Amino acid sequence: MQKPTLTLSKKQIALFHQEGYLVVPVVITLEELERLREIFNHLFASKAGREDGNQYDLAGTDKDDQEAVLPQIVNPSKYAPELETADIRDNMHAIARQLLGPEATSQSDHAIMKPPEVGAVTPWHQDEAYWAPDLEYNSISIWVPLQEVTLENGCMHFIPGSHKLEVAAHRPIGQDSRIHGLEAEQVDASQAVACPVTAGGATIHHCRTLHYAGPNHTNHPRLAYINVFATSPKQRVISRDFYWKDSRQTLRDERRRAAGTKPTSDGRQIGS
Ligand code: NI
């Protein structure tokens, strides 16, 4: 078994800052990958966190009698505490410190499943569009697929250099205010790069990098475990208007309010 790659080369670090994303071939052992896949298959199958508003459909209206097309679970270690001591957490933190600086800390984690055959597209978006408009972020997401990812099962695509742009106008997916997930308006994807990854690898993207993942056409679930890292956000001199966040009325939010689930940290949620 190859040891996890914890040290990025100077070339990899420079490439990340230039392009806004990076593919890292090895971040996790195949043994741990298998263990995480079992944990997350169980969390999704048992609908862990649904009553708290922590498991919901990113791309659908999330009704109880509907099959989720893009289920997501946030704060999964609340339901599977063994995640907190997984080696992958240390590996990701080591990578984050190299890309963001020594003060980088873990902000949140979540997992996304694309169910076999019905797993929906994750439309083009910038993660920062989900966050606080009055803060300036220095943040990355480390996206660890829990099996090989290909064009057929929904690997990531990135637009090189898009992390240097402002946050684009977003809207709820399909302009349906009942849907939690966001999509950017007017994306020129002609320069997009698809990033298939073999099992054990990861992709990393900056919080402003435009990214997309295709549907899952295979008959196996596509799972990804994602950790968001950042240094302390700074107050912006001029705030922004992220009006698309206010336009949503989701069943997930209703469940979260009913359960009294607190948003992460100080309410300025980093994560989706
Ligand atoms: Ni994203």
Side-chain angles (χ1 to χ4, degrees):
M1 173 57 54
Q2 198 174 356
K3 286 201 81 171
T5 303
L6 294 173
T7 307
L8 299 175
S9 68
K10 279 188 181 157
K11 196 174 160 190
Q12 284 176 307
I13 293 170
L15 195 60
F16 172 79
H17 290 298
Q18 183 186 313
E19 306 286 2
Y21 73 95
L22 188 68
V23 179
V24 184
V26 182
V27 296
I28 182 172
T29 63
L30 295 182
E31 286 85 354
E32 189 168 82
L33 192 85
E34 178 71 38
R35 200 163 61 84
L36 292 191
R37 196 164 61 227
E38 279 170 20
I39 290 171
F40 282 109
N41 272 326
H42 175 70
L43 291 180
F44 280 109
S46 62
K47 301 254 191 259
R50 183 166 169 85
E51 293 302 310
D52 299 335
N54 282 341
Q55 182 171 165
Y56 51 94
D57 190 355
L58 261 175
T61 53
D62 211 17
K63 293 189 179 130
D64 283 328
D65 57 354
Q66 268 174 2
E67 187 182 4
V69 291
L70 197 59
Q72 163 157 283
I73 180 165
V74 296
N75 198 7
S77 42
K78 184 173 174 188
Y79 312 101
E82 61 270 35
L83 288 170
E84 281 173 18
T85 53
D87 289 344
I88 184 63
R89 298 280 286 254
D90 294 333
N91 297 358
M92 290 192 282
H93 196 183
I95 289 171
R97 284 194 297 260
Q98 293 168 74
L99 293 176
L100 297 174
E103 284 100 56
T105 56
S106 174
Q107 302 293 314
S108 65
D109 61 339
H110 60 280
I112 300 175
M113 176 188 271
K114 280 190 196 286
E117 287 156 15
V118 299
V121 162
T122 314
W124 287 104
H125 68 279
Q126 293 161 299
D127 292 339
E128 196 178 332
Y130 284 90
W131 303 349
D134 61 333
L135 295 181
E136 188 70 30
Y137 294 99
N138 177 38
S139 173
I140 59 169
S141 287
I142 304 183
W143 190 90
V144 180
L146 300 182
Q147 68 294 299
E148 181 181 33
V149 280
T150 62
L151 285 173
E152 288 71 37
N153 73 353
C155 68
M156 288 282 247
H157 299 233
F158 300 102
I159 298 182
S162 54
H163 64 308
K164 293 177 181 167
L165 303 174
E166 296 297 322
V167 174
H170 282 66
R171 61 190 176 205
I173 293 173
Q175 286 187 291
D176 186 334
S177 60
R178 299 170 299 172
I179 294 180
H180 177 85
L182 297 173
E183 61 185 2
E185 296 180 14
Q186 297 177 338
V187 174
D188 173 7
S190 59
Q191 306 299 314
V193 178
C195 294
V197 182
T198 52
T203 64
I204 302 168
H205 61 271
H206 183 270
C207 58
R208 284 201 190 168
T209 306
L210 278 158
H211 56 288
Y212 159 99
N216 182 5
H217 290 306
T218 71
N219 51 18
H220 296 285
R222 191 230 66 183
L223 282 163
Y225 179 44
I226 302 119
N227 267 245
V228 179
F229 291 86
T231 56
S232 285
K234 294 187 175 62
Q235 193 68 42
R236 287 176 68 94
V237 178
I238 300 170
S239 186
R240 298 165 290 184
D241 183 7
F242 287 178
Y243 54 87
W244 49 85
K245 289 178 60 181
D246 306 324
S247 67
R248 291 176 301 181
Q249 289 185 313
T250 66
L251 291 175
R252 180 263 177 129
D253 281 337
E254 275 182 26
R255 296 197 304 269
R256 188 157 68 170
R257 273 193 295 272
T261 309
K262 286 193 189 118
T264 50
S265 65
D266 57 354
R268 299 181 180 287
Q269 201 178 10
I270 292 189
S272 41

